Amino acid sequence: MCGNLLVIISIIYFKQLHTPTNYLILSLAVADLLVGVVVLPFSTILAVSSCLHLEGLLCKVRSCIDMFLCTSSVLNLCFISIDRYYAVCQPLRYRTKITVRVIVIMILVSWTVSALNGIGVTVRGLNEEQSNRCVLFQHTSLAIMGTFLTFYLPGFIMSTIYLQILMVSQRQVRSIQSTTCQNTKSGATISKMERKATKTLAIVMGVFLICWTPFFLCITFYPLSNYTIPVSVIASFKWLGWSNSMLNPFVYGFFYTWFQTSVRMIISGKIFQGDFTHFKLF
């Protein structure tokens, strides 16, 4: 919650950060913040209470909000990858293609689709046979629909886009290398650029896949295995997935120098000592 809150305050306060790309990061931070503020308290209550009178109602509410916010977080990640694709692969068309209007549409789509997905899956599951286990997707059709819209489709899109970005980046680096003086220093610089691009993309996709893949694979095979997978295993993988909302500020924020500067100004209280809205962060 602290990391996402720092991202939100930074982007809202500093005028220099009012860019289309940062609006997507802001939307992502809001979704991730709400996961920590709303979803995790519900989940904690359900985890520690075994005989709660309203456990069934809390489970349904938690499931709806959880689907809504987690799907929004994933879709925001997906739209960020699209934004990065145009920035890296089509830089000359970036400003005409990725405008504030387009970004607003992306944000509205991510939140609207997420809300419809969460409400739809929850409503469809109301008439299903009840179980003492508070687990998402206890029906096969719901599991297929929910996991496809929440993870598999966005994950496939993100993987494809970032792979394309990586290929284009390496191609651009080799093009620069072929037109510059071939010396040891140049070769070392080019090699460092390639490693940095590869490392950054590996972190972006790696964190997302490491956090969410175990849960969605488990939940996909859960109905097919006649519900034999231990609920404790599913719960553990779910908490791992939620941790993606905690790590996103590190992946999309701490890699930017402007975020490091803004965090120092916020934590030190400098922004309360005057008007720093137009302060140059980079």
Side-chain angles (χ1 to χ4, degrees):
M1 289 190 295
C2 293
N4 286 294
L5 191 59
L6 286 172
V7 173
I8 293 171
I9 294 174
S10 298
I11 296 177
I12 292 178
Y13 182 81
F14 294 101
K15 299 293 185 182
Q16 189 181 12
L17 302 181
H18 292 183
T19 63
T21 301
N22 287 336
Y23 291 149
L24 282 175
I25 296 179
L26 175 63
S27 177
L28 172 65
V30 171
D32 290 336
L33 175 66
L34 291 177
V35 169
V37 173
V38 181
V39 176
L40 298 190
F42 272 103
S43 302
T44 303
I45 293 173
L46 290 169
V48 301
S49 61
S50 57
C51 300
L52 191 64
H53 177 65
L54 298 176
E55 184 174 358
L57 177 61
L58 284 179
C59 183
K60 293 181 177 63
V61 173
R62 190 282 302 269
S63 299
C64 180
I65 299 176
D66 182 26
M67 277 290 296
F68 168 44
L69 294 178
C70 289
T71 303
S72 178
S73 179
V74 173
L75 290 181
N76 275 295
L77 287 172
C78 189
F79 283 125
I80 288 175
S81 68
I82 296 175
D83 172 82
R84 292 299 84 204
Y85 170 80
Y86 277 100
V88 176
C89 301
Q90 300 185 27
L92 298 180
R93 302 175 59 190
Y94 177 73
R95 293 188 179 276
T96 59
K97 288 290 185 179
I98 307 299
T99 61
V100 174
R101 180 173 177 272
V102 172
I103 294 297
V104 170
I105 293 175
M106 288 181 176
I107 294 174
L108 290 177
V109 168
S110 65
W111 286 92
T112 303
V113 171
S114 302
L116 294 176
N117 187 35
I119 295 173
V121 171
T122 303
V123 170
R124 288 192 59 185
L126 290 178
N127 297 326
E128 301 297 333
E129 182 180 353
Q130 299 298 312
S131 171
N132 292 329
R133 300 164 294 184
C134 184
V135 182
L136 289 174
F137 308 134
Q138 293 187 4
H139 193 268
T140 305
S141 62
L142 298 183
I144 295 175
M145 180 181 67
T147 56
F148 178 77
L149 293 176
T150 305
F151 176 74
Y152 292 116
L153 180 59
F156 174 78
I157 293 174
M158 289 170 60
S159 300
T160 303
I161 290 176
Y162 278 124
L163 180 60
Q164 181 68 20
I165 291 174
L166 179 60
M167 294 173 61
V168 171
S169 298
Q170 292 180 337
R171 195 159 55 240
Q172 291 174 347
V173 169
R174 294 192 182 96
S175 177
I176 295 173
Q177 184 180 22
S178 64
T179 58
T180 58
C181 180
Q182 301 299 312
N183 53 47
T184 304
K185 184 177 180 180
S186 176
T189 303
I190 297 301
S191 178
K192 183 178 180 180
M193 292 172 61
E194 287 191 354
R195 289 198 303 270
K196 184 177 180 180
T198 304
K199 181 180 179 180
T200 302
L201 295 178
I203 292 174
V204 170
M205 283 305 304
V207 170
F208 172 77
L209 294 176
I210 289 173
C211 290
W212 281 113
T213 299
F215 171 75
F216 281 107
L217 286 178
C218 189
I219 213 68
T220 299
F221 291 102
Y222 181 61
L224 303 178
S225 64
N226 198 24
Y227 308 104
T228 57
I229 300 177
V231 177
S232 59
V233 174
I234 298 177
S236 299
F237 286 150
K238 185 60 177 178
W239 281 88
L240 177 63
W242 283 327
S243 70
N244 184 236
S245 294
M246 175 190 69
L247 296 174
N248 281 337
F250 293 92
V251 178
Y252 290 96
F254 284 20
F255 281 97
Y256 295 101
T257 56
W258 60 258
F259 185 71
Q260 300 170 10
T261 304
S262 64
V263 166
R264 285 194 294 267
M265 294 181 65
I266 293 171
I267 295 179
S268 65
K270 187 175 181 180
I271 62 173
F272 302 107
Q273 301 173 6
D275 184 8
F276 292 93
T277 55
H278 295 281
F279 183 81
K280 298 297 181 181
L281 297 172
F282 53 90

